[in-house]
Amino acid sequence: MGDEKFLLTLTIDGRKYPLKINRAEEQAFRDAAKKINTKINQYRVAFGGENSGMTAQDFMAMTAIQALV
């Protein structure tokens, strides 16, 4: 039952990302998106936001690096 695939659209940093996932993994994906958004916002605050010359892509990259390390 949890093996069926469905389309889940996650919003990360204001952008929508459609993903085809197993229904059994839905909550893990939702939790991950929430953690990613939290971390992006922490970096944005720590580095002065868009006024710092950094872009949304910079904050996303910093979050990805931290997640993988």
Side-chain angles (χ1 to χ4, degrees):
M1 177 138 206
D3 291 346
E4 72 223 35
K5 298 265 188 184
F6 81 108
L7 186 65
L8 174 67
T9 302
L10 297 176
T11 302
I12 298 176
D13 200 31
R15 297 188 65 174
K16 294 190 182 302
Y17 296 92
L19 302 165
K20 197 162 206 172
I21 64 164
N22 289 328
R23 187 163 297 280
E25 298 174 320
E26 178 180 3
Q27 193 57 52
F29 275 86
R30 290 187 187 280
D31 292 344
K34 187 174 182 178
K35 288 177 184 176
I36 291 167
N37 281 317
T38 297
K39 186 51 69 178
I40 288 170
N41 288 329
Q42 287 172 347
Y43 278 125
R44 189 171 275 123
V45 168
F47 289 95
E50 307 300 329
N51 296 330
S52 68
M54 297 180 83
T55 65
Q57 183 177 357
D58 293 323
F59 299 122
M60 182 80 82
M62 292 165 69
T63 299
I65 291 166
Q66 183 178 11
L68 292 173
V69 171

